[in-house]
Amino acid sequence: MRTAPTILHLDMDAFYASAEQAAKPSLRGKAVVVGGLGPRGVVATASYEARKFGVHSAMPMGQARRLAPHAAYLVPRFRLYREISEQVMGLLGALSPLVEPLSLDEAFVDLEAGEAAWDAASAEAVGRRLRADIRRVTGLTGSVGLAASKMLAKIGSEEAKPDGLVLIRPGTERALLGPQSVRILPGVGPATADHLRRAGILTVEEIAGAGEDELVRLLGKAHGSHLYEMALARDERPVVAERDSKSVSVEDTYDVDIHDRVQVRMEVRRLAGRCVERLRAAERSGRTVVLKVRRYDFSTLTRSETLRGPTDDPGVVREAAARLLESVDTTGGVRLLGVGVSGLADFTQEDLFAQFAAAEEAAAEEAEGESGPVESVEAAEPEPAPVERKWLAGHDVRHAEFGPGWVQGSGLGRVTVRFETPYAVVPGRVRTFRVDDPELEPAEPMPLVEGPEGDQVTSSSAPATLPKVTSGD
């Protein structure tokens, strides 16, 4: 391991929920839950105010509503989150050529490779400046961990939450980790912690004292050996810069193992949708769909299916992932799920024609299922009923008279809108309209930070308050 804390881990604080609070003055300081709002929806992110009620990510939305009935429940706005992520990753890229994104809101940075830091003092200064820049550019906060290894840097950022910075000095890692619960180590979830507890192992120091052979006996060769190395603070993994990928994938690790098979299916469906979003953002398509399942006992299974041609169709990827899940036994619980697409190719005209044909075929099948076989286009057809516009809670709108706002809720032919912008000092006023009001239209997300000319801030002229720093020694 290196001799200076020059590996930085950044984790944005309650990212989706914090972005929604920054965009909506009326929600600042209040409980906010972002996720799927349907009967099978799950929580994507909960604000710190909502977490006080026990709400957490991957929780069924129905359970979250019972725990925090007065929270604001919003549908994700991934376009906004991606835009903020690009700004944050741009700030990281200015520090070093070695930036390893883990998700939209999390990344490792090798400060040494970019000659941005070479010792504890310079690394701490970079961490302070980065956090101030993130707040200035995005209006949001991020927590930073600095250490000589990726594992310790990630532990540092977790300990720094929310809105803090922790620097772990080389040579102090064992003393810092020793008295901590085994749960502080990556990959130690409730099931593994309970297994260790039954063996009388409660702290990281006790893991190290048990020895590698005992851990292998308890947890198996791969997991036992890896856990022993982590307990000794050994982690030689380098920061790997993003490169031209051979695959696109997303995965989530859950704080609490998922036992409900229906919820597992819904998580796979959600992950497949996120995977396709990344695939399309990269302007790629792929032939092979891959499902990854890590079970309660840390056994990891992968299943794959190769399609007849490359695709970026979310329906195709979801269906393939669902088929793959049927071959996996999730009895006992699931702690990680992932969906990926490999065998990537650039978009081709044939892809587009194939997707168009598939969409037409699916539409025809749906129409036949609802109203019988579809007659020829020459046959007389009744005038189609007007389709009621759907207004998603939390999404942006604009009214011809009242200006920009966001949807608080809709139903029974009505939609309620709060008219406010991210730059308002006080909460905005509320109005209710018919769902088909011609003066109400969907709108694009507004930047969270307003510059001198009403544009997003891009200069470094705004002052920032330096965060307090917690040292690891």
Side-chain angles (χ1 to χ4, degrees), residues 382-436:
E383 187 71 20
V387 178
E388 182 177 289
R389 290 194 291 179
K390 292 184 178 180
W391 302 98
L392 302 179
H395 280 223
D396 300 274
V397 295
R398 177 175 288 275
H399 191 273
E401 179 182 352
F402 299 106
W406 58 277
V407 176
Q408 280 198 325
S410 64
L412 301 177
R414 295 288 186 268
V415 54
T416 299
V417 177
R418 184 179 289 274
F419 291 97
E420 60 185 0
T421 71
Y423 329 121
V425 178
V426 296
R429 54 189 174 180
V430 177
R431 296 286 188 275
T432 298
F433 308 91
R434 298 193 318 273
V435 293
D436 59 352

Side-chain angles (χ1 to χ4, degrees), residues 103-361:
S103 62
L104 287 177
D105 62 331
E106 185 181 2
F108 287 108
V109 184
D110 188 335
L111 300 178
E112 201 171 286
E115 299 182 353
W118 51 91
D119 58 13
S122 57
E124 181 180 312
V126 169
R128 287 181 175 183
R129 188 168 61 249
L130 172 64
R131 293 184 60 248
D133 286 344
I134 289 173
R135 184 187 290 273
R136 170 179 54 79
V137 171
T138 70
L140 306 180
T141 64
S143 295
V144 167
L146 291 159
S149 70
K150 291 170 72 172
M151 180 189 76
L152 269 298
K154 185 172 175 63
I155 288 175
S157 69
E158 187 64 31
E159 292 297 302
K161 283 185 168 293
D163 192 18
L165 185 153
V166 167
L167 184 147
I168 301 175
R169 298 180 184 275
T172 69
E173 296 95 343
R174 291 286 300 276
L176 174 70
L177 290 176
Q180 302 291 331
S181 164
V182 296
R183 290 293 305 275
I184 199 173
L185 297 178
V188 179
T192 298
D194 187 59
H195 200 52
L196 292 172
R197 181 190 59 79
R198 291 197 297 270
I201 299 173
L202 303 177
T203 67
V204 176
E205 186 176 29
E206 289 170 342
I207 290 177
E212 184 174 5
D213 291 343
E214 176 65 7
L215 290 170
V216 168
R217 186 186 70 80
L218 290 171
L219 304 174
K221 176 63 177 175
H223 190 40
S225 297
H226 180 59
L227 191 58
Y228 180 68
E229 290 294 308
M230 289 193 298
L232 298 179
R234 295 173 182 168
D235 180 16
E236 300 290 346
R237 293 173 300 156
V239 176
V240 180
E242 194 173 28
R243 57 173 68 95
D244 187 24
S245 300
K246 295 181 180 179
S247 64
V248 172
S249 64
V250 296
E251 62 182 43
D252 277 346
T253 302
Y254 305 102
D255 295 334
V256 178
D257 292 353
I258 302 177
H259 294 83
D260 185 349
R261 181 74 174 184
V262 172
Q263 186 179 349
V264 173
R265 292 193 188 100
M266 293 305 298
E267 281 294 290
V268 168
R269 179 179 177 84
R270 181 178 65 85
L271 290 167
R274 285 174 51 195
C275 180
V276 170
E277 285 183 356
R278 290 191 178 185
L279 193 68
R280 289 182 168 180
E283 297 186 349
R284 308 295 292 275
S285 57
R287 295 177 58 91
T288 302
V289 178
V290 181
L291 175 71
K292 178 180 178 181
V293 179
R294 181 168 296 152
R295 299 188 289 191
Y296 71 99
D297 58 356
F298 281 87
S299 60
T300 302
L301 305 176
T302 58
R303 299 288 186 269
S304 64
E305 176 181 326
T306 299
L307 309 173
R308 288 179 293 180
T311 185
D312 74 329
D313 187 303
V316 172
V317 175
R318 287 192 186 104
E319 290 174 8
R323 287 193 298 270
L324 294 171
L325 179 62
E326 294 307 310
S327 66
V328 177
D329 180 12
T330 59
T331 304
V334 171
R335 64 172 289 102
L336 178 148
L337 290 168
V339 175
V341 176
S342 61
L344 300 187
D346 293 331
F347 281 123
T348 66
Q349 197 68 23
E350 287 75 17
D351 295 340
L352 300 178
F353 284 134
Q355 290 169 25
F356 180 76
E360 283 193 317
E361 182 179 349

Side-chain angles (χ1 to χ4, degrees), residues 22-55:
K24 302 171 172 64
S26 57
L27 298 184
R28 292 170 190 169
K30 297 182 180 179
V32 174
V33 180
V34 180
L37 303 188
R40 295 183 178 179
V42 297
V43 175
T45 307
S47 70
Y48 288 101
E49 295 85 356
R51 295 180 191 187
K52 294 177 181 178
F53 296 95
V55 180

